[in-house]
């Protein structure tokens, strides 16, 4: 018996009570379908943890013409799939998880039989094109596995994936006219003109390589692919739907559209024809690369050398089991477990790995780089994820979080803008939302000691970013101490976010002993006070002359100086200085009243109409859980004399905003931020101000949890007297020691041990 | 004294009579302006021999709208410049020499002063845009040097170049509003939609990098650049003229159009503003790369590290002097010398070097390769150049010709089509014209013994090409022995060209001892007989049933089964078997009559209207010197009993089709083929059938010539009694030995020695 095995057994014994959980298949609790209806913007398809490929069905993103202009439901179809739709147009390889803006949807594949149709047709008349009707009764959506019957063609579609390879398995009826359509003009955010260039090269009767360049949210994005079929096609071809062909010329001597090994241009749909026997399975391995066609081919060879669909699926689900097992829980009900592990699943989709198997990736400078000593990630929705997702990663994915920061620092080094990422994706910066919150993630990683990168160099990148004159009114912010109303439609929220970000930089500077910058940025972090109007008690836009805006409505989200929030919510957004904020806003009692009112005031419809990204159910009074600026608010009671209201409110939100159904998310998952909020809150604590090592305690939903840390230690969270009614916490013990305050530190978690909450139904 | 120097002196002494020529500045005879008026399609700007950069003024290629459709003079402006135009819109970096189809015109630079205008305006109203009036009186066009006064701005523009770098020098008046416009939407073949993508990154106040992707004649072409200014710009920006912007989104928070370091999209024009003193010279180094922005920067550093315009110009002209010196001539008149050295100049522009200084280039597979052991070339207009340009290279540029073949073989290896190049350019195949004439160039190189490449591998590439089922009716050609009329609009000319190409492959097979393929292809080479209709005495389209086309007009160029020629001319196109052809067409006397008639019959206007690429002056009877299928015809008399008619006709063509003026070329120079015809014919011989080592003798125009060969030997061509009237050759001696036939062999040339023609005014 090896020593390591012995150790394992000892560890297993020491957690004997967890035997049942140890053996539990956690993948069974993952329901990718959650959030696919309405606002969740999640996708139901196959992906492995942080995988480059997200292979998922598309129900409708096809633009349609209205009065000569093209319209596309670019918001509704952020993830390509809406649960209420009745047809599937195919299966594409790239998706964001839960975003409020859209892009991707690369390389749509659709199997059909019968007459070859190369347009998708309409949802109203599916037979007019290649799309197919489907039903949720034949649909299976698991972690890294998706299955559905395409009813129009009697084809069973199955999908699984590895990090860089989508694996399709289509079970055909017997026919001489089986087709695999490769739609190269399909896009999420599917406007005419998005296709910049498409290149497809047929290498032999079962192998195809190529690339696609698009302009969309990512302005200049190229994805390369390699595609192999498990059986040879008998013929192939394409059709171009482009209306702008400046030169056709001598190509006229060829029939380019059939069996011609180079297919190029704009807006192409290719097809591959087969003859199939009954239950003939045509499998497709479809590898992606951010670098080259050769890179895609090597990714395929490395990750899926064979053709065994079941074994690829099994490996993918084992990978999920491994990640999910990082937190094992016992809950009051199975539905909580489903919410929890689906949240874990959603938290582990984005950011995604963005490099070839050999470490090569394309930088934002459009050059090829090699990630040395780290895994390169992309898809940083930092305005969302700096709040709870990255802090969660510091606990249960510290290696990945460290790699993500290194990816951000590489981005900085390669950036034409000398900026850390804002919302970056596929070697592009789309500038979505506000702030320079990468500094929060970086400071958090350093403060929590998970960094292998050079903290001083990282500080320099943070400062260059925070001082960058080309970015969103930074010059004015530095000049006036706030962003003047006339400069920006988000002058107040951006000022508040900059103030928080500056505080993060100050913490980082302090940590590395840079007093000069600590002093500079700790001063800047107080700028939040410059946009508070004590005469009305709210944050409020102010012009260069220092005059607050007239005719101001603190309930209005639109046009009042804020983004995704109103003055009500943003007046509570000083995560780094709750004490100062409470004092500024009148002290303990008035502040408690303010919070109470937030959760109870009914928001009239005229305001709700301007509240983005959520359903009506996503509102709790005037509190908008679906929008991130509010995510810390429930925990602010901890800084008042009534922390029990945090406990009560958190449990209420956990129950009201997260369900097991397809409509189970009240707002966009926002690449895992909504899910990270759930995970933290279900465990009983939350990072109100990333960049500090402090977590505010709430009210755990779990009965018990075991956090398996990368340092080999475990944090056990136990509750006593846990029930649906017992949402209040009478006392908390950390390793047998009573906590005097409702806060714990990162080291309390990472040193391992036991955190016990005594639950009660009275506060 | 070193031994080599001694040797040099001895050589110099042995050529004592050439002392004057030895010291002659041959660059003075190069007049790049020749061919810039009407049909020549040459450009007047700066380039070094076979340079990647051709930096030249553009007079007008701007498309204009007619009834809602865009029209551009894509044929007239193949080289961007027409002598008769009155305005210049700027200076672009890439041009073909003398083509009949257009593309390129990358990276137009225009200096202006005063109000910034970002549209070019019209020729009719130059002040409506940034273009400027100019006059030929201030224009200087030399090899690798161009100068002109831009009258609207009082700016003197000067251009020179190295292989990969364009060097601009603009002398400004004193002004606070000097502009350098970088027009990234300018194109030759300038249709809306040609711009696929443009990326410009400003690195600092004087350095810019980027790339441009276009779809045109080359379908998918990307050229990268690096640009340095000799003085910092004070501000910069751009305007997009694109009407299709699918996503602008969060970029709205920035003023992208001014001082923003990334400029991206479609149809952009950028500008850089300066403050200038009187006579302030703003210099620009503009480097190109087929591979990357870094490659462009390295090319710049390697080729033009400093800022000395004069020294770059001097080096460029020295490079030309070296190439021109490979043939030194004495002539009856200086105008002949101008024609000759301008022909040499034009012959040494295309193909162009297509790789970075480190050997990297982009292949037709869109991947980056390294040219190992050869210089990679592109721009192969092989339908034209296999006839005389490449044969000329086998004599005076054998190393380059060998490299060019290696470039073609690399193209083959990288081709998605498994084809040698047809008309290839910038990692693209545009399929222009007919045949697979790369096999002629390859066979010629091997037969003439200049190859370092593996001849057997080359043969395999030739055979794969000649048997390629996807290419222009090869399958039908192999099945029927000709291309049936119903299959192709060029069925006869293509059949004839395939037959000749097949003969080349046979010669190559024979040379490497491959009897099987020799037999196969020598048989295919006789296919020319299958499209000859003895009942009318002309080549004629025939259908699958073997029935010749009814209502056939042998004078008509359009729609009668031929390309760039009619049955009259193409019935003389069997370069590889003149003996068989003459026999087939009636024998000696009838054939002489046929040839006589060709040169004397007036071609009625209705036929001339369909004759492409030439002016009326380009016609000699029904003989079209401006179109290549006729180029060997004057030499066919050598196979009859009246070779003196070859002598007479050749001298007549030399005098009538080539002049010193801007309109000095009667047809497109066709990347040097027209010029190569001139050089050969002026020297007294011509390669009727490349792939054989035989040259037909004509009537030299020179008084004397010294061909300096790469093997160190010299061929001296002397004439006795040379004069304008003495166009007939009474006898020819090679190294003192009388020639019995009007033919010499490659070895007669490359072994060096003396070829003496006795001239007379009587035949």
């Amino acid at each position: 018996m090896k020593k390591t095995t012995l150790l394992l057994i000892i560890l297993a014994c020491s957690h004997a009570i967890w035997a049942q959980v140890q053996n539990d298949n956690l993948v069974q609790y993952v329901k990718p379908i959650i959030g696919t209806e309405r606002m969740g913007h999640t996708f139901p398809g196959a992906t492995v943890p942080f995988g480059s490929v997200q292979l998922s069905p598309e129900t409708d993103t096809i633009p349609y013409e209205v009065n000569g202009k093209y319209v596309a439901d670019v918001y509704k179809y952020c993830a390509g799939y809406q649960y209420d739709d009745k047809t599937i147009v195919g299966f594409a390889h790239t998706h964001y998880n839960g975003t409020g803006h859209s892009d991707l949807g690369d390389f749509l594949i659709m199997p059909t039989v019968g007459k070859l149709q190369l347009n998708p047709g309409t949802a109203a008349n599916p037979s007019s094109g290649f799309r197919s009707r489907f039903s949720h009764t034949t649909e299976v959506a698991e972690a890294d596995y998706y299955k559905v019957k395409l009813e129009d063609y009697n084809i069973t579609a199955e999908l699984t994936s590895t990090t860089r390879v989508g694996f399709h398995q289509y079970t055909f009826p017997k026919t001489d006219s089986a087709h695999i359509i490769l739609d190269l003009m399909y896009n999420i955010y599917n406007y005419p003109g998005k296709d910049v260039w498409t290149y497809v090269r047929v290498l032999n009767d079962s192998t195809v390589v190529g690339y696609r360049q698009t302009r969309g949210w990512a302005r200049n994005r190229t994805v390369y692919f390699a595609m192999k079929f498990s059986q040879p096609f008998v013929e192939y071809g394409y059709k171009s739907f482009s209306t702008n062909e400046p030169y056709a010329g001598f190509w006229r001597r060829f029939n380019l559209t059939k069996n011609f090994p180079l297919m190029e241009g704009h807006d192409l749909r290719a097809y591959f024809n087969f003859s199939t026997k009954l239950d003939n399975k045509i499998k497709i391995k479809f590898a992606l690369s951010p670098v080259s066609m050769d890179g895609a081919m090597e990714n395929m060879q490395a990750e899926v050398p064979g053709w065994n669909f079941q074994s690829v699926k099994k490996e993918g689900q084992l990978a999920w089991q491994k990640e999910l097992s990082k937190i094992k829980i016992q809950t009051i009900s199975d539905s909580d477990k489903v919410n929890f592990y689906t949240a874990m699943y959603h938290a582990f989709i984005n950011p995604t790995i963005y490099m070839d198997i050999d470490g090569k990736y394309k930088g934002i400078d459009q050059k090829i780089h090699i990630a040395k000593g780290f895994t390169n990630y992309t898809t940083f929705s930092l305005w969302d994820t700096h709040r709870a997702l990255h802090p969660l990663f510091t606990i249960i994915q510290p290696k990945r979080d460290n790699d993500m920061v290194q990816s951000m620092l590489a981005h900085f080094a390669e950036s034409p803008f000398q900026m850390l990422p804002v919302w970056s994706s596929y070697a592009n910066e789309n500038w979505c939302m506000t702030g320079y919150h990468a500094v929060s993630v970086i400071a958090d990683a350093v403060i929590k000691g998970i960094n292998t990168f050079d903290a001083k160099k990282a500080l320099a990148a943070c400062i260059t970013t925070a001082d960058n004159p080309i970015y969103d009114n930074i010059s004015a912010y530095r000049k006036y101490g706030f962003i003047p109303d006339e400069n920006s439609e988000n002058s107040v929220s951006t000022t508040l976010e900059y103030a928080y970000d500056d505080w993060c930089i100050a913490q980082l500077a302090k940590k590395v002993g840079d007093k000069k910058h600590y002093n500079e940025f700790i001063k800047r972090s107080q700028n939040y006070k410059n946009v508070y109007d004590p005469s009305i008690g709210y944050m409020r836009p102010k012009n260069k002359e220092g005059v607050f805006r007239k005719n101001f409505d603190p309930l209005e989200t639109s046009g009042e100086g804020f983004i995704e929030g109103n003055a009500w919510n943003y007046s509570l957004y000083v995560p780094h200085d709750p004490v100062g904020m409470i004092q500024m806003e009148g002290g303990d009692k008035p502040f408690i009243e303010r919070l109470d009112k937030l959760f109870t005031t009914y928001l009239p419809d005229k305001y709700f109409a301007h509240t983005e990204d959520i359903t009506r159910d996503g509102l709790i009074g005037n509190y908008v859980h679906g929008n991130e600026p509010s995510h810390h608010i429930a925990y602010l009671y901890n800084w008042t004399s009534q922390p029990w209201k945090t406990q009560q409110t958190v449990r209420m939100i956990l129950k009201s905003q997260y369900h097991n159904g397809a409509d189970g998310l009240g707002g966009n998952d926002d690449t895992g931020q909504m899910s990270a909020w759930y995970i933290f809150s279900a465990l009983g604590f939350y990072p109100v101000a990333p960049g500090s090592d402090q977590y505010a305690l709430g009210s755990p939903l779990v009965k018990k949890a075991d956090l398996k840390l990368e340092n080999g230690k475990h944090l056990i969270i136990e509750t006593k007297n846990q029930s649906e009614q017992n949402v209040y916490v009478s006392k908390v013990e950390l390793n047998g020691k009573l906590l005097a305050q409702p806060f714990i530190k990162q080291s309390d978690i990472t040193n391992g041990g036991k955190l016990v909450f005594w639950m009660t139904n009275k506060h």
Side-chain angles (χ1 to χ4, degrees), chain A:
Chain A
M1 187 182 278
K2 282 191 197 165
K3 206 174 169 185
T4 49
T5 320
L6 182 66
L7 188 68
L8 220 70
I9 289 172
I10 292 168
L11 278 169
C13 293
S14 75
H15 296 291
I17 55 161
W18 289 94
Q20 179 221 337
V21 176
Q22 291 285 3
N23 299 323
D24 207 1
N25 167 17
L26 302 180
V27 171
Q28 71 181 299
Y29 301 114
V30 173
K31 302 292 180 202
I33 213 74
I34 292 177
T36 61
E37 194 172 356
R38 295 193 286 170
M39 292 291 185
H41 293 184
T42 59
F43 60 85
T47 190
V48 294
F50 306 95
S52 305
V53 164
Q54 306 85 28
L55 178 54
S56 187
E58 313 294 299
T59 55
D60 223 326
T61 77
I62 317 294
Y64 44 91
E65 221 179 312
V66 177
N67 299 328
K69 288 214 164 190
Y70 277 92
V71 177
D73 291 326
V74 297
Y75 178 75
K76 182 177 174 189
Y77 288 101
C78 283
Y81 179 99
Q82 276 287 352
Y83 191 80
D84 292 339
D85 288 342
K86 306 298 181 201
T87 64
I88 281 174
V89 296
F91 307 96
H93 291 80
T94 54
H95 296 84
Y96 293 132
N97 169 46
T99 51
H101 199 292
S102 61
D103 204 336
L104 312 183
D106 298 292
F107 309 120
L108 183 88
I109 284 183
M110 181 68 183
T112 70
V113 299
K115 187 189 156 209
L116 177 66
Q117 297 196 87
L118 288 178
N119 70 73
T122 60
N125 181 13
S127 303
S128 62
F130 60 71
R131 75 176 67 207
S132 171
R133 294 164 188 84
F134 80 107
S135 153
H136 295 302
T137 59
T138 68
E139 193 178 37
V140 178
E142 299 174 4
D144 205 30
Y145 179 65
Y146 180 85
K147 182 182 180 181
V148 76
K149 174 66 118 348
L150 298 169
E151 292 171 2
D152 289 24
Y153 306 117
N154 193 23
I155 292 170
T156 298
E158 292 172 280
L159 313 173
T160 187
S161 73
T162 62
T163 298
R164 298 168 181 85
V165 185
F167 197 137
H168 308 239
Q169 178 167 279
Y170 299 114
T171 306
F172 277 83
K174 179 175 161 55
T175 175
D176 287 336
S177 58
H179 317 288
I180 300 284
I181 293 165
L182 171 60
D183 185 337
L184 295 144
M185 62 188 283
Y186 179 84
N187 282 298
I188 296 179
Y189 201 103
N190 198 358
Y191 270 105
K194 186 173 177 184
D195 254 31
V196 173
W197 196 252
T198 308
Y199 176 98
V200 180
R201 184 174 168 187
V202 178
L203 294 180
N204 59 44
D205 66 7
S206 54
T207 313
V208 183
V209 296
Y211 62 83
R212 188 168 89 126
Q213 191 178 349
T214 55
R215 66 182 314 191
W217 206 23
R219 270 210 151 182
N220 184 6
R221 190 174 70 91
T222 305
V223 190
Y224 300 83
F225 74 88
M227 181 191 197
K228 280 196 179 186
F229 294 94
S230 60
Q231 78 181 59
F233 40 81
V234 293
E235 58 183 3
Y236 66 95
Y238 80 101
K239 185 176 172 184
S240 167
F241 291 81
S242 169
T243 53
N244 190 353
E245 292 281 347
Y247 180 75
F250 291 93
W251 293 79
R252 69 178 183 263
R253 291 207 308 277
F254 306 94
N255 182 358
L256 292 180
T257 61
K258 200 164 177 186
N259 298 326
F260 194 78
L262 185 64
M263 307 191 268
E264 270 191 297
H266 292 282
D267 298 321
L268 309 185
R269 292 197 181 102
Y271 63 89
F272 303 88
N273 293 342
F274 299 83
S275 213
T276 52
K277 298 175 201 144
L278 180 64
D279 291 337
N280 193 331
K281 284 180 176 29
I282 296 181
K283 301 175 196 178
I284 302 167
K285 295 189 286 196
F286 201 104
L288 302 185
S289 163
V291 171
S292 68
M293 293 176 275
D294 286 349
M297 196 62 94
E298 280 156 29
N299 291 341
M300 186 194 290
Q301 294 306 322
E303 294 189 353
V304 193
W307 285 103
N308 192 327
F309 184 90
Q310 287 309 320
S311 92
V312 171
K313 175 190 167 190
K314 192 177 163 193
E315 272 176 49
Q317 296 198 330
L318 278 175
W320 276 114
Q321 174 71 14
K322 187 182 161 209
E323 297 295 341
L324 300 172
S325 302
K326 290 183 173 175
I327 306 181
K328 289 175 184 153
I329 57 168
Q330 288 185 333
T331 53
I332 299 165
S333 71
D334 262 6
S335 72
D336 289 340
K337 237 180 197 172
V338 167
N339 280 336
F340 188 90
Y341 284 110
T342 302
M344 288 280 278
Y345 169 80
H346 282 144
F348 295 167
I349 293 177
N350 292 130
T352 52
I353 291 168
Y354 186 65
M355 64 180 205
D356 281 345
I357 201 88
D358 62 2
K360 283 197 192 122
Y361 69 93
K362 186 177 279 183
I364 189 172
D365 55 3
Q366 296 288 314
K367 298 179 188 172
I368 307 305
H369 301 271
I370 296 179
K372 282 181 194 143
F374 69 101
T375 297
N376 192 54
Y377 286 83
T378 194
T379 306
F380 290 108
S381 180
L382 290 163
W383 185 84
D384 300 301
T385 59
H386 77 281
R387 300 168 202 261
L389 186 65
H390 285 285
L392 178 68
F393 289 163
T394 68
I395 299 171
I396 53 169
Q397 298 281 8
K399 186 183 173 314
R400 288 190 199 267
D401 199 54
N402 182 47
D403 282 353
M404 287 169 193
V405 172
Q406 291 191 72
S407 305
M408 292 181 206
L409 294 172
H411 175 108
F412 174 81
E414 295 150 10
S415 166
F417 319 111
Q418 297 190 280
M419 283 283 293
L420 285 161
V422 173
W423 208 124
S424 71
S425 173
Y426 285 83
N428 277 264
E429 174 60 81
N430 62 45
W431 307 112
C432 182
M433 303 307 290
T434 43
Y436 31 84
H437 303 300
V439 307
S440 164
V441 179
I442 294 171
D444 202 43
V446 174
I447 295 299
K448 293 174 179 170
I450 65 160
N451 62 305
T452 63
F453 57 84
D454 180 339
K456 283 194 178 168
K457 269 179 87 169
L459 173 64
C462 291
I463 292 169
T464 301
T465 298
D467 286 351
N468 196 318
I470 68 167
Y471 185 66
D472 196 5
N473 293 292
I474 283 182
S475 299
Y477 170 78
R478 292 179 70 188
K479 182 174 174 187
Y480 297 102
F482 62 95
I483 299 174
D485 191 10
E486 58 269 51
N487 278 34
S488 164
E489 55 190 10
N490 316 314
S491 63
V492 184
S493 52
T494 304
T495 297
L496 295 171
E497 291 178 11
Y498 285 177
Y500 161 68
D501 289 338
D502 291 341
W503 175 83
C504 292
I505 295 173
Q507 302 314 301
L508 179 54
K510 191 172 159 192
K511 180 87 179 180
V512 303
D514 181 340
K515 273 190 190 166
K516 174 176 161 281
H517 284 110
Y518 171 76
N519 288 335
E520 179 185 341
F521 282 90
I522 204 71
K523 191 171 163 239
R524 279 170 62 158
S525 78
Q526 293 294 302
N527 282 339
Y528 73 86
K529 292 175 177 160
N530 299 337
V531 286
Y532 180 72
D533 180 1
S535 77
I536 60 165
Y538 292 105
M539 306 291 185
R540 184 174 186 178
K542 190 158 96 176
N543 70 15
K544 276 178 191 151
E545 279 70 44
V547 179
F548 284 107
R549 191 198 280 204
K550 305 265 180 295
N551 303 320
F552 176 70
D553 185 343
L555 276 174
E556 179 57 69
T557 302
S558 174
E560 295 286 23
F562 303 91
I563 191 164
E564 291 203 10
N566 55 18
W568 251 101
N569 281 272
Y570 265 107
S571 295
L572 300 164
Y573 182 75
V574 187
H576 54 295
D577 191 12
V579 175
M581 172 180 67
I582 292 168
Q583 196 178 1
M584 177 179 81
E585 296 181 2
D588 188 59
K589 213 170 158 211
F591 190 78
I592 290 169
E593 278 167 27
R594 178 189 287 261
L595 288 178
D596 290 350
K597 210 169 157 193
L598 175 76
F599 289 106
T600 51
T601 308
Y602 181 80
L603 189 70
D605 280 347
K606 73 163 187 167
Y607 298 115
F608 174 69
H610 295 147
T611 306
E612 294 179 76
D613 294 354
I614 59 154
T615 58
R616 185 92 221 182
D617 300 340
L619 277 183
I620 302 171
N622 175 22
Y623 169 87
V624 185
H625 188 66
N627 283 342
E628 279 69 13
S630 314
H631 273 192
H632 66 296
I633 292 178
Y635 288 91
L636 290 178
Y637 288 109
N638 270 16
W639 277 267
T640 73
S641 54
Q642 300 183 344
W644 59 269
K645 286 187 176 166
T646 286
Q647 298 150 23
Q648 179 196 54
T649 311
V650 165
R651 284 291 282 268
M652 180 261 289
I653 298 171
L654 281 165
K655 281 291 172 186
S656 70
Q657 297 294 308
Y658 298 85
H659 303 287
N660 284 185
D663 64 346
L665 291 178
N668 306 156
D669 193 51
D670 286 321
T671 74
Q673 167 60 24
M674 281 280 277
S675 291
W677 191 96
Y678 185 91
I679 295 162
F680 267 124
S681 295
L683 294 173
F685 53 96
Y686 189 82
V688 168
S692 84
D693 65 348
Q694 189 190 57
Y695 295 88
L697 295 184
S699 169
L701 182 73
V702 297
K703 287 170 73 176
K704 190 157 188 173
D706 174 359
L707 278 65
K708 186 180 165 193
L709 306 171
E710 282 182 9
N711 60 13
K713 298 180 179 169
H714 287 255
L715 175 73
I716 306 296
I717 297 166
E718 271 186 38
T719 55
K720 307 286 187 192
N721 308 319
Q722 178 66 291
S723 76
E724 300 286 2
Q725 292 71 40
N726 293 356
V727 301
Y728 301 104
V729 179
S730 57
K731 64 170 181 170
V732 183
E733 279 182 7
L734 177 66
N735 297 324
K737 203 178 154 195
L738 190 71
L739 290 182
Q741 297 290 332
F743 300 102
I744 56 171
K745 290 194 295 184
Q746 182 82 359
S747 55
D748 296 334
I749 298 165
T750 54
N751 288 340
K754 194 178 274 190
L755 184 68
V756 185
F757 293 78
W758 270 262
M759 310 305 293
T760 167
N761 62 355
K762 288 186 192 122
H763 59 82

